PDB file of all heavy atoms in Angstrom:
ATOM      1  N   SER A1204     -78.552 -66.029 -35.839  1.00  0.00           N
ATOM      2  CA  SER A1204     -79.779 -66.101 -36.630  1.00  0.00           C
ATOM      3  C   SER A1204     -80.108 -64.750 -37.257  1.00  0.00           C
ATOM      4  O   SER A1204     -79.575 -63.712 -36.852  1.00  0.00           O
ATOM      5  CB  SER A1204     -80.946 -66.525 -35.732  1.00  0.00           C
ATOM      6  OG  SER A1204     -81.228 -65.488 -34.798  1.00  0.00           O
ATOM      7  N   ARG A1205     -81.003 -64.790 -38.195  1.00  0.00           N
ATOM      8  CA  ARG A1205     -81.488 -63.565 -38.813  1.00  0.00           C
ATOM      9  C   ARG A1205     -82.127 -62.678 -37.755  1.00  0.00           C
ATOM     10  O   ARG A1205     -81.965 -61.463 -37.768  1.00  0.00           O
ATOM     11  CB  ARG A1205     -82.499 -63.908 -39.919  1.00  0.00           C
ATOM     12  CG  ARG A1205     -83.036 -62.687 -40.633  1.00  0.00           C
ATOM     13  CD  ARG A1205     -84.206 -63.069 -41.557  1.00  0.00           C
ATOM     14  NE  ARG A1205     -84.870 -61.909 -42.082  1.00  0.00           N
ATOM     15  CZ  ARG A1205     -85.703 -61.120 -41.398  1.00  0.00           C
ATOM     16  NH1 ARG A1205     -85.947 -61.372 -40.136  1.00  0.00           N
ATOM     17  NH2 ARG A1205     -86.275 -60.081 -41.958  1.00  0.00           N
ATOM     18  N   ALA A1206     -82.848 -63.277 -36.824  1.00  0.00           N
ATOM     19  CA  ALA A1206     -83.516 -62.515 -35.760  1.00  0.00           C
ATOM     20  C   ALA A1206     -82.498 -61.788 -34.878  1.00  0.00           C
ATOM     21  O   ALA A1206     -82.710 -60.634 -34.504  1.00  0.00           O
ATOM     22  CB  ALA A1206     -84.392 -63.438 -34.918  1.00  0.00           C
ATOM     23  N   THR A1207     -81.407 -62.449 -34.553  1.00  0.00           N
ATOM     24  CA  THR A1207     -80.364 -61.807 -33.743  1.00  0.00           C
ATOM     25  C   THR A1207     -79.769 -60.637 -34.486  1.00  0.00           C
ATOM     26  O   THR A1207     -79.601 -59.546 -33.927  1.00  0.00           O
ATOM     27  CB  THR A1207     -79.267 -62.824 -33.375  1.00  0.00           C
ATOM     28  OG1 THR A1207     -79.851 -63.853 -32.557  1.00  0.00           O
ATOM     29  CG2 THR A1207     -78.117 -62.171 -32.631  1.00  0.00           C
ATOM     30  N   TYR A1208     -79.464 -60.828 -35.760  1.00  0.00           N
ATOM     31  CA  TYR A1208     -78.923 -59.733 -36.563  1.00  0.00           C
ATOM     32  C   TYR A1208     -79.916 -58.575 -36.597  1.00  0.00           C
ATOM     33  O   TYR A1208     -79.545 -57.411 -36.428  1.00  0.00           O
ATOM     34  CB  TYR A1208     -78.594 -60.217 -37.978  1.00  0.00           C
ATOM     35  CG  TYR A1208     -78.023 -59.123 -38.850  1.00  0.00           C
ATOM     36  CD1 TYR A1208     -76.666 -58.834 -38.826  1.00  0.00           C
ATOM     37  CD2 TYR A1208     -78.841 -58.342 -39.662  1.00  0.00           C
ATOM     38  CE1 TYR A1208     -76.130 -57.815 -39.598  1.00  0.00           C
ATOM     39  CE2 TYR A1208     -78.318 -57.322 -40.426  1.00  0.00           C
ATOM     40  CZ  TYR A1208     -76.969 -57.068 -40.398  1.00  0.00           C
ATOM     41  OH  TYR A1208     -76.456 -56.049 -41.154  1.00  0.00           O
ATOM     42  N   HIS A1209     -81.180 -58.887 -36.804  1.00  0.00           N
ATOM     43  CA  HIS A1209     -82.219 -57.856 -36.833  1.00  0.00           C
ATOM     44  C   HIS A1209     -82.244 -57.079 -35.511  1.00  0.00           C
ATOM     45  O   HIS A1209     -82.372 -55.846 -35.510  1.00  0.00           O
ATOM     46  CB  HIS A1209     -83.586 -58.477 -37.108  1.00  0.00           C
ATOM     47  CG  HIS A1209     -84.719 -57.517 -37.008  1.00  0.00           C
ATOM     48  ND1 HIS A1209     -84.996 -56.587 -37.983  1.00  0.00           N
ATOM     49  CD2 HIS A1209     -85.629 -57.313 -36.033  1.00  0.00           C
ATOM     50  CE1 HIS A1209     -86.033 -55.859 -37.614  1.00  0.00           C
ATOM     51  NE2 HIS A1209     -86.435 -56.280 -36.435  1.00  0.00           N
ATOM     52  N   ASN A1210     -82.118 -57.780 -34.403  1.00  0.00           N
ATOM     53  CA  ASN A1210     -82.095 -57.107 -33.099  1.00  0.00           C
ATOM     54  C   ASN A1210     -80.917 -56.149 -32.986  1.00  0.00           C
ATOM     55  O   ASN A1210     -81.031 -55.091 -32.363  1.00  0.00           O
ATOM     56  CB  ASN A1210     -82.078 -58.124 -31.961  1.00  0.00           C
ATOM     57  CG  ASN A1210     -83.422 -58.802 -31.777  1.00  0.00           C
ATOM     58  OD1 ASN A1210     -84.462 -58.277 -32.192  1.00  0.00           O
ATOM     59  ND2 ASN A1210     -83.409 -59.966 -31.174  1.00  0.00           N
ATOM     60  N   TRP A1211     -79.792 -56.487 -33.584  1.00  0.00           N
ATOM     61  CA  TRP A1211     -78.640 -55.564 -33.594  1.00  0.00           C
ATOM     62  C   TRP A1211     -78.983 -54.320 -34.401  1.00  0.00           C
ATOM     63  O   TRP A1211     -78.709 -53.204 -33.981  1.00  0.00           O
ATOM     64  CB  TRP A1211     -77.410 -56.223 -34.201  1.00  0.00           C
ATOM     65  CG  TRP A1211     -76.848 -57.381 -33.446  1.00  0.00           C
ATOM     66  CD1 TRP A1211     -77.089 -57.724 -32.144  1.00  0.00           C
ATOM     67  CD2 TRP A1211     -75.946 -58.353 -33.940  1.00  0.00           C
ATOM     68  NE1 TRP A1211     -76.393 -58.848 -31.808  1.00  0.00           N
ATOM     69  CE2 TRP A1211     -75.674 -59.259 -32.900  1.00  0.00           C
ATOM     70  CE3 TRP A1211     -75.332 -58.561 -35.173  1.00  0.00           C
ATOM     71  CZ2 TRP A1211     -74.809 -60.342 -33.046  1.00  0.00           C
ATOM     72  CZ3 TRP A1211     -74.476 -59.638 -35.316  1.00  0.00           C
ATOM     73  CH2 TRP A1211     -74.214 -60.519 -34.260  1.00  0.00           C
ATOM     74  N   VAL A1212     -79.581 -54.527 -35.564  1.00  0.00           N
ATOM     75  CA  VAL A1212     -79.880 -53.416 -36.469  1.00  0.00           C
ATOM     76  C   VAL A1212     -80.876 -52.440 -35.840  1.00  0.00           C
ATOM     77  O   VAL A1212     -80.715 -51.227 -35.962  1.00  0.00           O
ATOM     78  CB  VAL A1212     -80.396 -53.940 -37.827  1.00  0.00           C
ATOM     79  CG1 VAL A1212     -80.940 -52.822 -38.688  1.00  0.00           C
ATOM     80  CG2 VAL A1212     -79.282 -54.684 -38.566  1.00  0.00           C
ATOM     81  N   VAL A1213     -81.882 -52.962 -35.149  1.00  0.00           N
ATOM     82  CA  VAL A1213     -82.906 -52.090 -34.569  1.00  0.00           C
ATOM     83  C   VAL A1213     -82.538 -51.597 -33.172  1.00  0.00           C
ATOM     84  O   VAL A1213     -83.277 -50.831 -32.569  1.00  0.00           O
ATOM     85  CB  VAL A1213     -84.304 -52.750 -34.560  1.00  0.00           C
ATOM     86  CG1 VAL A1213     -84.754 -53.064 -35.975  1.00  0.00           C
ATOM     87  CG2 VAL A1213     -84.334 -53.970 -33.668  1.00  0.00           C
ATOM     88  N   GLY A1214     -81.402 -52.019 -32.657  1.00  0.00           N
ATOM     89  CA  GLY A1214     -80.931 -51.510 -31.372  1.00  0.00           C
ATOM     90  C   GLY A1214     -81.451 -52.224 -30.143  1.00  0.00           C
ATOM     91  O   GLY A1214     -81.329 -51.719 -29.031  1.00  0.00           O
ATOM     92  N   LYS A1215     -82.001 -53.417 -30.303  1.00  0.00           N
ATOM     93  CA  LYS A1215     -82.464 -54.182 -29.144  1.00  0.00           C
ATOM     94  C   LYS A1215     -81.310 -54.868 -28.422  1.00  0.00           C
ATOM     95  O   LYS A1215     -81.407 -55.179 -27.245  1.00  0.00           O
ATOM     96  CB  LYS A1215     -83.491 -55.235 -29.566  1.00  0.00           C
ATOM     97  CG  LYS A1215     -84.827 -54.652 -29.965  1.00  0.00           C
ATOM     98  CD  LYS A1215     -85.817 -55.764 -30.256  1.00  0.00           C
ATOM     99  CE  LYS A1215     -87.166 -55.195 -30.622  1.00  0.00           C
ATOM    100  NZ  LYS A1215     -88.131 -56.274 -30.906  1.00  0.00           N
ATOM    101  N   SER A1216     -80.263 -55.140 -29.148  1.00  0.00           N
ATOM    102  CA  SER A1216     -79.063 -55.764 -28.579  1.00  0.00           C
ATOM    103  C   SER A1216     -77.895 -55.379 -29.462  1.00  0.00           C
ATOM    104  O   SER A1216     -78.066 -54.668 -30.450  1.00  0.00           O
ATOM    105  CB  SER A1216     -79.222 -57.289 -28.503  1.00  0.00           C
ATOM    106  OG  SER A1216     -79.372 -57.850 -29.794  1.00  0.00           O
ATOM    107  N   GLU A1217     -76.711 -55.838 -29.101  1.00  0.00           N
ATOM    108  CA  GLU A1217     -75.544 -55.531 -29.921  1.00  0.00           C
ATOM    109  C   GLU A1217     -74.620 -56.741 -29.974  1.00  0.00           C
ATOM    110  O   GLU A1217     -74.644 -57.586 -29.083  1.00  0.00           O
ATOM    111  CB  GLU A1217     -74.810 -54.302 -29.401  1.00  0.00           C
ATOM    112  CG  GLU A1217     -74.280 -54.426 -27.996  1.00  0.00           C
ATOM    113  CD  GLU A1217     -73.706 -53.113 -27.483  1.00  0.00           C
ATOM    114  OE1 GLU A1217     -73.509 -52.175 -28.265  1.00  0.00           O
ATOM    115  OE2 GLU A1217     -73.446 -53.039 -26.282  1.00  0.00           O
ATOM    116  N   PRO A1218     -73.819 -56.808 -31.038  1.00  0.00           N
ATOM    117  CA  PRO A1218     -72.902 -57.946 -31.164  1.00  0.00           C
ATOM    118  C   PRO A1218     -71.790 -57.853 -30.124  1.00  0.00           C
ATOM    119  O   PRO A1218     -71.472 -56.776 -29.621  1.00  0.00           O
ATOM    120  CB  PRO A1218     -72.344 -57.788 -32.579  1.00  0.00           C
ATOM    121  CG  PRO A1218     -72.504 -56.344 -32.906  1.00  0.00           C
ATOM    122  CD  PRO A1218     -73.714 -55.878 -32.162  1.00  0.00           C
ATOM    123  N   SER A1219     -71.214 -58.993 -29.839  1.00  0.00           N
ATOM    124  CA  SER A1219     -70.025 -59.009 -28.981  1.00  0.00           C
ATOM    125  C   SER A1219     -68.865 -58.384 -29.758  1.00  0.00           C
ATOM    126  O   SER A1219     -68.955 -58.179 -30.975  1.00  0.00           O
ATOM    127  CB  SER A1219     -69.674 -60.450 -28.602  1.00  0.00           C
ATOM    128  OG  SER A1219     -69.225 -61.158 -29.755  1.00  0.00           O
ATOM    129  N   ALA A1220     -67.797 -58.110 -29.065  1.00  0.00           N
ATOM    130  CA  ALA A1220     -66.618 -57.529 -29.730  1.00  0.00           C
ATOM    131  C   ALA A1220     -66.109 -58.468 -30.824  1.00  0.00           C
ATOM    132  O   ALA A1220     -65.781 -58.019 -31.929  1.00  0.00           O
ATOM    133  CB  ALA A1220     -65.529 -57.235 -28.712  1.00  0.00           C
ATOM    134  N   SER A1221     -66.052 -59.760 -30.542  1.00  0.00           N
ATOM    135  CA  SER A1221     -65.541 -60.693 -31.552  1.00  0.00           C
ATOM    136  C   SER A1221     -66.479 -60.773 -32.752  1.00  0.00           C
ATOM    137  O   SER A1221     -66.020 -60.859 -33.901  1.00  0.00           O
ATOM    138  CB  SER A1221     -65.300 -62.079 -30.957  1.00  0.00           C
ATOM    139  OG  SER A1221     -66.506 -62.665 -30.535  1.00  0.00           O
ATOM    140  N   GLN A1222     -67.789 -60.715 -32.517  1.00  0.00           N
ATOM    141  CA  GLN A1222     -68.734 -60.719 -33.630  1.00  0.00           C
ATOM    142  C   GLN A1222     -68.591 -59.440 -34.458  1.00  0.00           C
ATOM    143  O   GLN A1222     -68.609 -59.484 -35.685  1.00  0.00           O
ATOM    144  CB  GLN A1222     -70.169 -60.846 -33.118  1.00  0.00           C
ATOM    145  CG  GLN A1222     -70.479 -62.206 -32.540  1.00  0.00           C
ATOM    146  CD  GLN A1222     -71.779 -62.233 -31.780  1.00  0.00           C
ATOM    147  OE1 GLN A1222     -72.150 -61.270 -31.109  1.00  0.00           O
ATOM    148  NE2 GLN A1222     -72.488 -63.353 -31.870  1.00  0.00           N
ATOM    149  N   PHE A1223     -68.432 -58.319 -33.773  1.00  0.00           N
ATOM    150  CA  PHE A1223     -68.250 -57.047 -34.463  1.00  0.00           C
ATOM    151  C   PHE A1223     -67.009 -57.086 -35.353  1.00  0.00           C
ATOM    152  O   PHE A1223     -67.052 -56.706 -36.518  1.00  0.00           O
ATOM    153  CB  PHE A1223     -68.148 -55.904 -33.454  1.00  0.00           C
ATOM    154  CG  PHE A1223     -67.796 -54.592 -34.094  1.00  0.00           C
ATOM    155  CD1 PHE A1223     -68.761 -53.851 -34.749  1.00  0.00           C
ATOM    156  CD2 PHE A1223     -66.497 -54.114 -34.056  1.00  0.00           C
ATOM    157  CE1 PHE A1223     -68.438 -52.646 -35.356  1.00  0.00           C
ATOM    158  CE2 PHE A1223     -66.167 -52.914 -34.654  1.00  0.00           C
ATOM    159  CZ  PHE A1223     -67.133 -52.179 -35.309  1.00  0.00           C
ATOM    160  N   PHE A1224     -65.886 -57.563 -34.805  1.00  0.00           N
ATOM    161  CA  PHE A1224     -64.652 -57.601 -35.591  1.00  0.00           C
ATOM    162  C   PHE A1224     -64.744 -58.591 -36.745  1.00  0.00           C
ATOM    163  O   PHE A1224     -64.177 -58.355 -37.807  1.00  0.00           O
ATOM    164  CB  PHE A1224     -63.435 -57.886 -34.709  1.00  0.00           C
ATOM    165  CG  PHE A1224     -62.942 -56.657 -34.011  1.00  0.00           C
ATOM    166  CD1 PHE A1224     -63.058 -56.538 -32.638  1.00  0.00           C
ATOM    167  CD2 PHE A1224     -62.385 -55.604 -34.716  1.00  0.00           C
ATOM    168  CE1 PHE A1224     -62.620 -55.392 -31.993  1.00  0.00           C
ATOM    169  CE2 PHE A1224     -61.947 -54.458 -34.080  1.00  0.00           C
ATOM    170  CZ  PHE A1224     -62.061 -54.351 -32.708  1.00  0.00           C
ATOM    171  N   THR A1225     -65.472 -59.679 -36.560  1.00  0.00           N
ATOM    172  CA  THR A1225     -65.663 -60.617 -37.665  1.00  0.00           C
ATOM    173  C   THR A1225     -66.449 -59.954 -38.794  1.00  0.00           C
ATOM    174  O   THR A1225     -66.074 -60.065 -39.970  1.00  0.00           O
ATOM    175  CB  THR A1225     -66.381 -61.895 -37.193  1.00  0.00           C
ATOM    176  OG1 THR A1225     -65.568 -62.543 -36.214  1.00  0.00           O
ATOM    177  CG2 THR A1225     -66.647 -62.846 -38.354  1.00  0.00           C
ATOM    178  N   MET A1226     -67.520 -59.233 -38.443  1.00  0.00           N
ATOM    179  CA  MET A1226     -68.288 -58.535 -39.477  1.00  0.00           C
ATOM    180  C   MET A1226     -67.453 -57.451 -40.141  1.00  0.00           C
ATOM    181  O   MET A1226     -67.512 -57.268 -41.358  1.00  0.00           O
ATOM    182  CB  MET A1226     -69.567 -57.950 -38.888  1.00  0.00           C
ATOM    183  CG  MET A1226     -70.598 -58.997 -38.545  1.00  0.00           C
ATOM    184  SD  MET A1226     -72.176 -58.307 -37.994  1.00  0.00           S
ATOM    185  CE  MET A1226     -71.726 -57.639 -36.398  1.00  0.00           C
ATOM    186  N   LEU A1227     -66.650 -56.755 -39.350  1.00  0.00           N
ATOM    187  CA  LEU A1227     -65.753 -55.740 -39.897  1.00  0.00           C
ATOM    188  C   LEU A1227     -64.778 -56.369 -40.882  1.00  0.00           C
ATOM    189  O   LEU A1227     -64.532 -55.840 -41.960  1.00  0.00           O
ATOM    190  CB  LEU A1227     -65.005 -55.053 -38.756  1.00  0.00           C
ATOM    191  CG  LEU A1227     -64.069 -53.916 -39.115  1.00  0.00           C
ATOM    192  CD1 LEU A1227     -64.824 -52.774 -39.766  1.00  0.00           C
ATOM    193  CD2 LEU A1227     -63.357 -53.424 -37.853  1.00  0.00           C
ATOM    194  N   GLN A1228     -64.259 -57.533 -40.532  1.00  0.00           N
ATOM    195  CA  GLN A1228     -63.321 -58.231 -41.407  1.00  0.00           C
ATOM    196  C   GLN A1228     -64.001 -58.662 -42.707  1.00  0.00           C
ATOM    197  O   GLN A1228     -63.427 -58.527 -43.792  1.00  0.00           O
ATOM    198  CB  GLN A1228     -62.752 -59.442 -40.671  1.00  0.00           C
ATOM    199  CG  GLN A1228     -61.648 -60.140 -41.414  1.00  0.00           C
ATOM    200  CD  GLN A1228     -61.050 -61.263 -40.598  1.00  0.00           C
ATOM    201  OE1 GLN A1228     -61.786 -62.043 -39.994  1.00  0.00           O
ATOM    202  NE2 GLN A1228     -59.748 -61.350 -40.563  1.00  0.00           N
ATOM    203  N   VAL A1229     -65.222 -59.155 -42.625  1.00  0.00           N
ATOM    204  CA  VAL A1229     -65.966 -59.557 -43.823  1.00  0.00           C
ATOM    205  C   VAL A1229     -66.157 -58.352 -44.742  1.00  0.00           C
ATOM    206  O   VAL A1229     -65.929 -58.433 -45.955  1.00  0.00           O
ATOM    207  CB  VAL A1229     -67.326 -60.189 -43.437  1.00  0.00           C
ATOM    208  CG1 VAL A1229     -68.232 -60.342 -44.642  1.00  0.00           C
ATOM    209  CG2 VAL A1229     -67.116 -61.522 -42.746  1.00  0.00           C
ATOM    210  N   CYS A1230     -66.543 -57.224 -44.163  1.00  0.00           N
ATOM    211  CA  CYS A1230     -66.735 -56.001 -44.960  1.00  0.00           C
ATOM    212  C   CYS A1230     -65.422 -55.533 -45.565  1.00  0.00           C
ATOM    213  O   CYS A1230     -65.362 -55.160 -46.736  1.00  0.00           O
ATOM    214  CB  CYS A1230     -67.334 -54.893 -44.094  1.00  0.00           C
ATOM    215  SG  CYS A1230     -69.043 -55.192 -43.615  1.00  0.00           S
ATOM    216  N   TRP A1231     -64.366 -55.567 -44.787  1.00  0.00           N
ATOM    217  CA  TRP A1231     -63.056 -55.105 -45.264  1.00  0.00           C
ATOM    218  C   TRP A1231     -62.576 -55.968 -46.428  1.00  0.00           C
ATOM    219  O   TRP A1231     -62.102 -55.462 -47.437  1.00  0.00           O
ATOM    220  CB  TRP A1231     -62.046 -55.129 -44.124  1.00  0.00           C
ATOM    221  CG  TRP A1231     -60.745 -54.481 -44.473  1.00  0.00           C
ATOM    222  CD1 TRP A1231     -60.438 -53.159 -44.379  1.00  0.00           C
ATOM    223  CD2 TRP A1231     -59.572 -55.121 -44.976  1.00  0.00           C
ATOM    224  NE1 TRP A1231     -59.149 -52.937 -44.788  1.00  0.00           N
ATOM    225  CE2 TRP A1231     -58.594 -54.122 -45.158  1.00  0.00           C
ATOM    226  CE3 TRP A1231     -59.249 -56.440 -45.283  1.00  0.00           C
ATOM    227  CZ2 TRP A1231     -57.329 -54.405 -45.639  1.00  0.00           C
ATOM    228  CZ3 TRP A1231     -57.988 -56.720 -45.759  1.00  0.00           C
ATOM    229  CH2 TRP A1231     -57.041 -55.705 -45.932  1.00  0.00           C
TER     230      TRP A1231
END
Side-chain angles (χ1 to χ4, degrees):
S1204 68
R1205 181 189 171 285
T1207 297
Y1208 180 85
H1209 174 76
N1210 287 338
W1211 295 343
V1212 170
V1213 299
K1215 289 185 179 180
S1216 63
E1217 61 187 348
S1219 68
S1221 65
Q1222 290 168 324
F1223 173 79
F1224 279 112
T1225 298
M1226 288 186 290
L1227 183 62
Q1228 187 176 45
V1229 168
C1230 290
W1231 189 86

